[in-house]
Amino acid sequence: MNVEEVRKGIPALMLSSSLEEAQAGVEARKAAGPWPEYIIRPKGTLGRKRLQPNTGSNTRTLWLNSEVGHNREAKAEIKSLFPGVTPFSTPKPERLLRKVIEASTRPGDIVLDCYGGSGTTAAVAHKMGRRWITSELLPETVSKFTKPRLIKVIKGDDFGGITTTTERVAVGNLPSDMTALEAQDFNRMLNKAISSDDPIEIPLASELAKMVRATQKQGESPLDADQAKTLLKLLKVFAPDGAPFDVQKPVKTQLARRTRTRDETTTQWFGGGGFTHLEVGPSMFEEVEGFILLADWATHGALAKAMCAQLEVRYRPDGIFAAFRGKTRYVVIDGHVGETTILSILEQLQEGHIVEVWATQYDVVAADRLRKERPGSRLEAIPDSVLDRYRRKASKGSPFKKEMIDE
Ligand SMILES: C[S@@+](CC[C@H](N)C(=O)[O-])C[C@H]1O[C@@H](n2cnc3c(N)ncnc32)[C@H](O)[C@@H]1O
């Protein structure tokens, strides 16, 4: 594998064989069927897999628990946001969403989550300076989880998830080439290894005697020859048969002192921003055997009111007209519009005025006739033209279109 192909943040895997051999091994394993039924649990015990996937592709990346969190962490996050409430069965940890959003967006981009749930994606996107849109089907979920959570994020009252980052740092100077995490590990293992009552014994007296003799020989001793002789004699009194000294305590203390570390927490999010919550009404249209029909509840005036809202004109019914703006009159018809209907509308339209007729069905001939009889007037279809209008409007302000032009 080329070094360039190893992406940032993805731990490297060392292969014990050539790439070709490893690839052949993977293919052979895949052909042999589902992965083993047994898994090794975090505490080293064996567990049985509940789900046996028999399709899928080879693993391409590795995201470790330590980096992106796990289900338990996600549940704890929800519990701290909503004490006493049973969390969702499959919440995602904020750190996981951070990794996904980091990999796929830049600050200011729009993150869309169509299945809002507890709002983890929106909350993380917000804390990361992205814009976001989320939708949730169940009003109860919105009022109990999604909305209160996002309000907490904005007010700076959400102290969990990626609001803070915690890093292990050295308290003093670590030995060179030792990271804070390695020092933490070292300490853990040291404590385990030296926790028993077993002494660490060294022949202190004979080692000291060796040192005294060596410094005398080199002429570097602070003692004169007589003093050195006396000291060597007395050292023998301490350890006549080379009896060792227990240095367990000082060794442990010294090593631990030189490798002390602590957690340093930095707050990354203090609150800010805002969002708008819109409740989407039920659809006015339903599909019946392939036909799009107006829902029962939407007939009898509701259609005219809704159309006026879509056209951004005030609903002011006056005879056959539902609204007006300047010299334009609006007619909304739940049904078929042919030439006869157009002629009857024109009869009631003042000179100098034009009309927009919105109907659930119409004849093309009727539309042509209207344009000819009163230029500037239009006959449009509900809902098709309404949706077209939205698409045209949305494409004008689309950030994606802008990006395509920029690049
Ligand atoms: C597992 S949760 C999603 C978690 C969420 N993405 C997060 O970041 O925390 C799935 C949610 O999707 C909602 N849902 C299901 N169908 C939906 C739909 N058609 N439109 C909007 N939400 C829907 C469910 O009510 C549920 O709350």
Side-chain angles (χ1 to χ4, degrees):
M1 187 184 287
N2 295 327
V3 174
E4 303 83 60
E5 286 178 45
V6 180
R7 275 169 287 160
K8 193 172 162 261
I10 298 184
L13 292 176
M14 297 286 287
L15 298 178
S16 57
S17 51
S18 74
L19 191 58
E20 289 71 28
E21 277 173 292
Q23 214 152 21
V26 169
E27 293 305 332
R29 184 64 201 79
K30 235 171 79 182
W35 289 94
E37 249 179 85
Y38 294 96
I39 49 169
I40 300 171
R41 294 203 186 286
K43 282 185 184 161
T45 55
L46 277 183
R48 209 181 169 133
K49 269 191 184 175
R50 260 188 272 162
L51 286 174
Q52 281 284 324
N54 52 13
T55 55
S57 55
N58 296 334
T59 305
R60 287 170 175 272
T61 57
L62 185 61
W63 292 6
L64 300 175
N65 264 356
S66 54
E67 194 191 354
V68 295
H70 38 66
N71 216 231
R72 249 177 301 136
E73 176 174 319
K75 281 188 183 172
E77 284 173 2
I78 299 284
K79 273 187 179 167
S80 84
L81 281 166
F82 306 106
V85 177
T86 315
F88 288 79
S89 52
T90 55
K92 323 288 174 295
E94 288 203 5
R95 289 195 291 159
L96 174 65
L97 268 308
R98 176 175 62 190
K99 175 120 178 157
V100 173
I101 293 173
E102 217 160 48
S104 53
T105 66
R106 286 174 293 207
D109 281 353
I110 300 174
V111 174
L112 169 67
D113 181 4
C114 306
Y115 302 94
S118 64
T120 316
T121 309
V124 172
H126 195 95
K127 292 180 193 177
M128 292 175 71
R130 271 66 167 172
R131 292 176 289 163
W132 50 268
I133 301 169
T134 191
S135 67
E136 169 53 48
L137 184 66
L138 305 176
E140 203 197 336
T141 302
V142 174
S143 60
K144 239 170 121 179
F145 295 101
T146 333
K147 202 171 166 187
R149 178 180 196 165
L150 292 167
I151 289 174
K152 280 188 178 192
V153 170
I154 277 147
K155 287 188 169 171
D157 289 342
D158 167 11
F159 306 105
I162 62 159
T163 294
T164 55
T165 50
T166 301
E167 208 187 349
R168 199 76 193 170
V169 293
V171 171
N173 287 334
L174 291 181
S176 56
D177 289 346
M178 185 182 259
T179 65
L181 283 177
E182 282 170 341
Q184 188 183 18
D185 263 357
F186 172 79
N187 259 300
R188 234 180 253 141
M189 292 184 286
L190 195 69
N191 276 329
K192 243 186 184 172
I194 317 184
S195 68
S196 66
D197 294 332
D198 291 344
I200 300 176
E201 293 175 331
I202 59 167
L204 193 59
S206 63
E207 287 300 313
L208 220 55
K210 259 190 228 162
M211 194 188 87
V212 171
R213 270 188 227 107
T215 49
Q216 279 289 311
K217 210 168 168 186
Q218 286 156 10
E220 291 168 1
S221 176
L223 308 176
D224 60 32
D226 281 347
Q227 286 173 321
K229 221 171 165 186
T230 315
L231 178 61
L232 287 171
K233 205 170 118 196
L234 291 172
L235 275 173
K236 272 191 190 153
V237 177
F238 272 101
D241 49 359
F245 276 71
D246 179 8
V247 291
Q248 193 220 63
K249 231 176 165 176
V251 163
K252 204 172 157 183
T253 314
Q254 288 251 351
L255 290 176
R257 190 176 296 147
R258 283 204 60 196
T259 51
R260 206 174 294 151
T261 58
R262 67 178 167 81
D263 277 341
E264 190 171 85
T265 300
T266 314
T267 303
Q268 309 276 5
W269 174 252
F270 296 92
F275 67 89
T276 308
H277 173 209
L278 300 172
E279 260 176 64
V280 181
S283 173
M284 299 188 92
F285 295 91
E286 48 193 30
E287 194 185 324
V288 181
E289 292 169 8
F291 292 101
I292 305 290
L293 300 175
L294 200 60
D296 276 351
W297 69 268
T299 51
H300 314 300
L303 180 66
K305 274 190 202 160
M307 256 327 291
C308 287
Q310 293 290 341
L311 297 167
E312 294 168 41
V313 287
R314 227 168 97 202
Y315 176 61
R316 272 181 285 199
D318 176 16
I320 57 160
F321 301 109
F324 66 89
R325 180 160 46 200
K327 295 207 160 147
T328 307
R329 295 289 177 270
Y330 295 86
V331 176
V332 179
I333 294 175
D334 168 21
H336 182 267
V337 170
E339 272 189 284
T340 327
T341 317
I342 290 297
L343 291 175
S344 125
I345 293 170
L346 287 171
E347 262 174 33
Q348 299 175 57
L349 193 67
Q350 269 184 38
E351 262 322 297
H353 285 182
I354 57 170
V355 67
E356 273 189 27
V357 181
W358 290 81
T360 47
Q361 279 180 311
Y362 70 81
D363 279 344
V364 181
V365 190
D368 286 345
R369 181 86 189 252
L370 176 62
R371 270 198 299 272
K372 218 179 276 163
E373 296 282 337
R374 199 62 70 95
S377 297
R378 326 188 262 142
L379 175 50
E380 300 278 4
I382 305 172
D384 298 11
S385 299
V386 183
L387 296 174
D388 281 348
R389 227 170 141 257
Y390 265 108
R391 285 185 199 115
R392 270 197 302 276
K393 223 168 150 183
S395 71
K396 272 188 202 153
S398 163
F400 301 109
K401 196 175 156 199
K402 186 169 162 278
E403 191 144 299
M404 275 161 59
I405 294 166
D406 284 351
E407 278 173 4

